[in-house]
Amino acid sequence: MAMQGYHPDLDVELRRKIENGLDSIRPYLMADGGEVRLLKITDDMVVELELLGACGTCPMSTMTMRAGIEQALKHAVPEIRRVEAVNAYPSY
């Protein structure tokens, strides 16, 4: 019976691909005063991101997440099932 285990090389490669995907949209976010940070990749391939700066409080952030960020990441890393915004700290 094969055991599923932690594969650090795969994790590093997956993170690199995700960061490259995020880099493709960062200039657009930064132009509006926003930024995004990779927080976590779950075992079931859900990417959790923190929206920073203007993105954290923008009323259009849900649309930006779905139409922009999620599509860019799924294009860069087809294994991704979903992208979610998780605010690590409350925005004031």
Side-chain angles (χ1 to χ4, degrees):
M1 179 165 89
M3 288 181 56
Q4 284 189 298
Y6 177 68
H7 302 284
D9 292 338
L10 293 177
D11 186 53
V12 168
E13 179 64 15
L14 182 60
R15 285 183 171 276
R16 185 190 63 75
K17 287 180 181 178
I18 290 170
E19 288 292 347
N20 286 343
L22 291 174
D23 286 345
S24 73
I25 58 158
R26 277 192 169 107
Y28 305 105
L29 299 174
M30 289 177 172
D32 289 327
E35 175 60 291
V36 63
R37 180 174 59 153
L38 174 60
L39 293 177
K40 181 179 178 182
I41 307 162
T42 67
D43 291 338
D44 57 345
M45 296 305 290
V46 174
V47 174
E48 295 181 358
L49 302 173
E50 180 181 14
L51 298 177
L52 304 166
C55 289
T57 58
C58 177
M60 298 298 286
S61 64
T62 300
M63 190 171 85
T64 299
M65 177 63 77
R66 294 288 167 243
I69 299 171
E70 185 171 59
Q71 292 307 311
L73 287 182
K74 283 184 172 182
H75 179 75
V77 188
E79 307 94 302
I80 292 174
R81 290 187 46 225
R82 194 170 70 246
V83 178
E84 295 181 353
V86 178
N87 284 342
Y89 303 101
S91 300
Y92 295 101

